[in-house]
Each structure stands twice: as C-alpha cells, then as structure tokens.
Amino acid sequence: MLERLNEIEKKYEELGNELTKPETLQNVDLLTKLSKEQRKLEETVTIYRKYKQTLNNIKEDESLLKDDELKDIAKEELSVLEVEKEQLEQKLETLLLPKDENDDKNIIMELRGAAGGDEANIFAGDLFRMYQKYAEKQGWKVEVVNAEESAAGGFSQLECIIKGDSVYSKLKYESGAHRVQRIPTTESGGRIHTSTATVIVMPEAEDIEIEVKPEDIKVDVYRSGGAGGQSVNTTDSAVRMTHIPTGIVVTCQNERSQLQNKEKALQILKAKIYEEEQRKKEEQEGTERRNKIGTGDRSEKIRTYNYPQNRVTDHRIGLTLNKLDRIIEGELEEIIEALIAEDQKRKLQGNED
C-alpha cells in the first residue's frame, strides 16, 4: 500500500510542477486536463501526508518512553496517535479501491411513468424535480432534452443531461424502479395508491469510447408537441433517431432547431449504446459482482416513498428515513452517502475474500 501511495504522491507533485510551466498556462485544454488529474489525487495525497506525519509522531513518542519525566505524557499521546493511525489507514484503504472509470462523467438520466397511469407520470415529475433541486445544491447544470408531458401532470417520459463535477459518482445508484405510496389528487375516496416510475442513469459517452456509423442511423423529423398534442413549435424541428443494429430509439424536441436536436439525440444515443455494450461486457466477463449495489435494471425496485408516514426506504441497503418531505425537496445527501459507504464496504469485503 505504501508503495502505491508513494507513486501517487510523486505523480501529484509532477502534475503540480507541470501546472506552473508557462507553456501549460497558455494551453487552456492542457491546463484543464492536468488540473482535473491533480484534483483526483488531492484527497489521497492529503490523507497520506497526514498519515506519514502521524507515523513520525508515534516514532518520536516511542523514543520518549525511556524518559522518566515524559513517559506518562508520551503514553497518553501514543494511545491517541494509534487510534488516528488506524483511522487514516482505513481511509487510505478506501481511497485506493479501484475507481469506476465513469465516476467523473456527466450523465444522461431517463425517467418514465410506469405502473399506475396518471399518478405514475405525476410521480415521475416529482422525481425529476427532486433531482433538479439536488443538482442545484451541487452546483450542477440540468438540460432537458426530451419531455413528453402527461395531461394530468408530470411526464410519461423525460430525458435530461446533468453536467457538473463527478455527477455519475453520486447519481449512479438511482437506476431502477421507484415506488410511491400516497393518496392521488385524482382519488376522491381518499384511498392510498401504489405507483411506480423508473429511472435510468447512464454516463455520458465520449467520442473516443463509442463510434456510431452514419449509415447505422435512421433520422425522422417531425413537429414538436406538448401535452395533449399542443404544438410548441411551428417547424419540423423534433428528431427521432433510430440505431438500426440495436433498435435503440431516441427522441429530442426541446431545442429550437433541428440541428441542435440532432446533436442532443446523438449524444443520448451514444450513451444508450455505450450502456448496452457495458452491460454485455459485464455478462461475458462475469465482472458484475454478487455484492454490487443494485443491478441498474429499470425493473428492480430500489426505493419506496411512503407519503402518509413521511418515510423513504432504500431496499438495497435497508435504510429507512422518516424525512420524505425533505428528501423530495432534493435533500438526497444522506441516502447517497449511505449508498457510497455501503458500496465501498462491499468492495473492501470483496477484496478480502
């Protein structure tokens, strides 16, 4: 472990030197790339340096145990330092776990109303607003690419791009079926209904990762429409893009021009193709571990939102929080942190098996 940490610290220092060179400062793309690389290593290096300082302090206190006047103080300090050393070792062990190659990426998020008719579509809209508010708290940007509004409210389907710092690392656990239990506004008898909406989170695919041949794409253009067929555009600017080899279909109608919609549609299409390829690769190589948190499949029930009891339960990790009113307003931090912690714990256990 120490050998790896020394290499990381050396790399961090080399990047720091590169960032001060005049030729780097004049190259915006290179400056951004190197700064990003250094930021990835920063936490590990900071903790490692603190760890090395703790080891030095332990060594110094151990040498004082022979001094009759100072040995009692040294013993007290050593007991504190040993605990600190153990905590830092655990932190470093976690930081050295293999990183998901997609963690730093932006995401494509797809939400759909599923079982429950109008109420499912309304709930899909509630989930979208929840993610919007969480994204605002993180300083991320949300771009709606395609939104098929429901006449009763919410969305039967919505795709958006969320851009920012390490978006995928925090939202990758949201894929699956989200279940809501509440009295719908359309329910006159006051009965509690159960409905579901599905969420899919995909890392944004870069050109170097996925190549889509022009001859493999069929593009249809049509007039954009809102809820109930209401026209929101007087030109044929909406785009439906079909990837012929896989049958994947993507729609984009939220941009003003056909060209912009084509660009966004292609962006989402690449993400969906990339996601499908990754899934097949995992199946072929058997890399999807039994201890992975969730399958990412839209049919897997991952969470229940119970409005009468103000309760949210994440079924994958057995976490229940009685603060649905705050969570639905974008306060997702506690759930996401718990999922990340459990994922790290399972990875550590997997490494030990």
Side-chain angles (χ1 to χ4, degrees):
M1 184 175 83
L2 292 177
E3 188 177 334
R4 281 185 66 195
L5 288 166
N6 283 327
E7 288 173 5
I8 290 169
E9 186 180 34
K10 184 181 176 184
K11 177 68 176 174
Y12 180 82
E13 290 169 350
E14 287 173 356
L15 287 166
N17 291 332
E18 286 293 322
L19 285 165
T20 60
K21 291 181 179 178
E23 57 267 34
T24 303
L25 294 169
Q26 291 169 6
N27 187 330
V28 177
D29 290 339
L30 180 61
L31 184 67
T32 303
K33 181 188 173 187
L34 295 178
S35 296
K36 194 173 181 179
E37 280 184 44
Q38 193 186 48
R39 280 199 305 274
K40 285 183 185 178
L41 305 177
E42 191 166 13
E43 185 181 6
T44 304
V45 172
T46 301
I47 299 294
Y48 179 45
R49 286 173 175 171
K50 191 174 181 182
Y51 177 69
K52 288 196 291 183
Q53 184 59 52
T54 300
L55 292 181
N56 287 334
N57 292 342
I58 288 172
K59 193 174 180 181
E60 287 176 10
D61 279 346
E62 284 176 340
S63 67
L64 295 174
L65 292 174
K66 298 173 185 177
D67 189 315
D68 290 337
E69 291 183 7
L70 298 173
K71 67 179 179 181
D72 289 338
I73 296 172
K75 279 181 183 179
E76 284 182 24
E77 286 186 357
L78 276 170
S79 63
V80 174
L81 288 169
E82 286 294 341
V83 172
E84 186 178 304
K85 173 177 171 278
E86 187 177 334
Q87 289 173 340
L88 290 169
E89 283 175 348
Q90 289 173 353
K91 181 71 174 173
L92 287 168
E93 193 175 21
T94 300
L95 287 168
L96 289 175
L97 283 171
K99 298 287 190 297
D100 187 328
E101 62 183 12
N102 295 316
D103 274 353
D104 292 328
K105 294 182 181 177
N106 301 325
I107 67 162
I108 312 291
M109 177 179 278
E110 177 188 289
L111 301 99
R112 291 176 183 258
D118 288 340
E119 172 63 8
N121 294 336
I122 292 169
F123 180 50
D126 292 340
L127 289 176
F128 173 61
R129 283 184 287 276
M130 177 182 77
Y131 292 126
Q132 260 189 320
K133 290 182 177 183
Y134 177 69
E136 284 174 15
K137 294 173 191 286
Q138 302 298 311
W140 299 339
K141 183 181 178 184
V142 179
E143 295 178 12
V144 176
V145 176
N146 181 56
E148 297 178 16
E149 296 178 16
S150 169
F155 306 95
S156 59
Q157 181 176 341
L158 182 142
E159 282 104 6
C160 65
I161 300 169
I162 304 181
K163 298 179 178 181
D165 186 28
S166 303
V167 181
Y168 186 76
S169 70
K170 294 183 178 178
L171 290 181
K172 61 184 175 181
Y173 307 105
E174 296 302 300
S175 288
H178 295 243
R179 183 175 68 171
V180 63
Q181 295 172 326
R182 65 184 175 188
I183 301 169
T185 53
T186 54
E187 171 59 52
S188 58
R191 292 176 300 167
I192 295 172
H193 284 223
T194 298
S195 306
T196 58
T198 59
V199 176
I200 295 181
V201 174
M202 298 164 281
E204 191 176 39
E206 297 170 5
D207 289 339
I208 55 170
E209 295 167 335
I210 189 80
E211 182 184 357
V212 180
K213 297 177 183 176
E215 60 267 28
D216 287 341
I217 299 174
K218 179 189 174 189
V219 178
D220 298 305
V221 294
Y222 59 98
R223 192 158 296 179
S224 300
Q230 180 185 359
S231 176
V232 293
N233 201 317
T234 56
T235 60
D236 291 341
S237 61
V239 171
R240 183 182 299 107
M241 195 172 281
T242 305
H243 186 239
I244 298 167
T246 61
I248 295 172
V249 180
V250 167
T251 302
C252 184
Q253 61 175 346
N254 276 54
E255 299 296 334
R256 290 186 175 275
S257 76
Q258 188 184 116
L259 179 61
Q260 288 174 318
N261 280 324
K262 279 184 178 177
E263 288 174 354
K264 287 286 169 67
L266 184 59
Q267 194 176 359
I268 294 176
L269 185 67
K270 285 181 177 179
K272 290 194 173 187
I273 294 168
Y274 177 72
E275 183 78 357
E276 181 65 15
E277 287 185 357
Q278 290 294 103
R279 185 187 64 78
K280 287 180 179 176
K281 184 180 175 184
E282 279 190 347
E283 286 179 357
Q284 289 170 358
E285 297 179 359
T287 55
E288 187 171 354
R289 299 183 307 277
R290 55 179 170 77
N291 59 354
K292 183 179 177 182
I293 293 182
T295 62
D297 189 276
R298 72 168 69 199
S299 64
E300 181 193 16
K301 184 183 73 176
I302 65 166
R303 198 174 296 148
T304 295
Y305 304 72
N306 185 301
Y307 275 75
Q309 298 179 24
N310 196 36
R311 186 182 71 223
V312 175
T313 300
D314 194 290
H315 304 289
R316 297 163 296 178
I317 58 174
L319 175 69
T320 296
L321 300 171
N322 293 99
K323 49 176 81 172
L324 186 153
D325 54 335
R326 288 155 58 185
I327 290 166
I328 206 70
E329 290 298 315
E331 294 187 20
L332 283 165
E333 292 86 355
E334 193 169 349
I335 293 177
I336 288 170
E337 286 170 10
L339 286 162
I340 291 171
E342 179 64 21
D343 192 28
Q344 290 174 342
K345 176 185 168 185
R346 294 185 189 187
K347 282 177 181 174
L348 285 167
Q349 289 171 343
N351 287 350
E352 290 167 3
D353 288 343

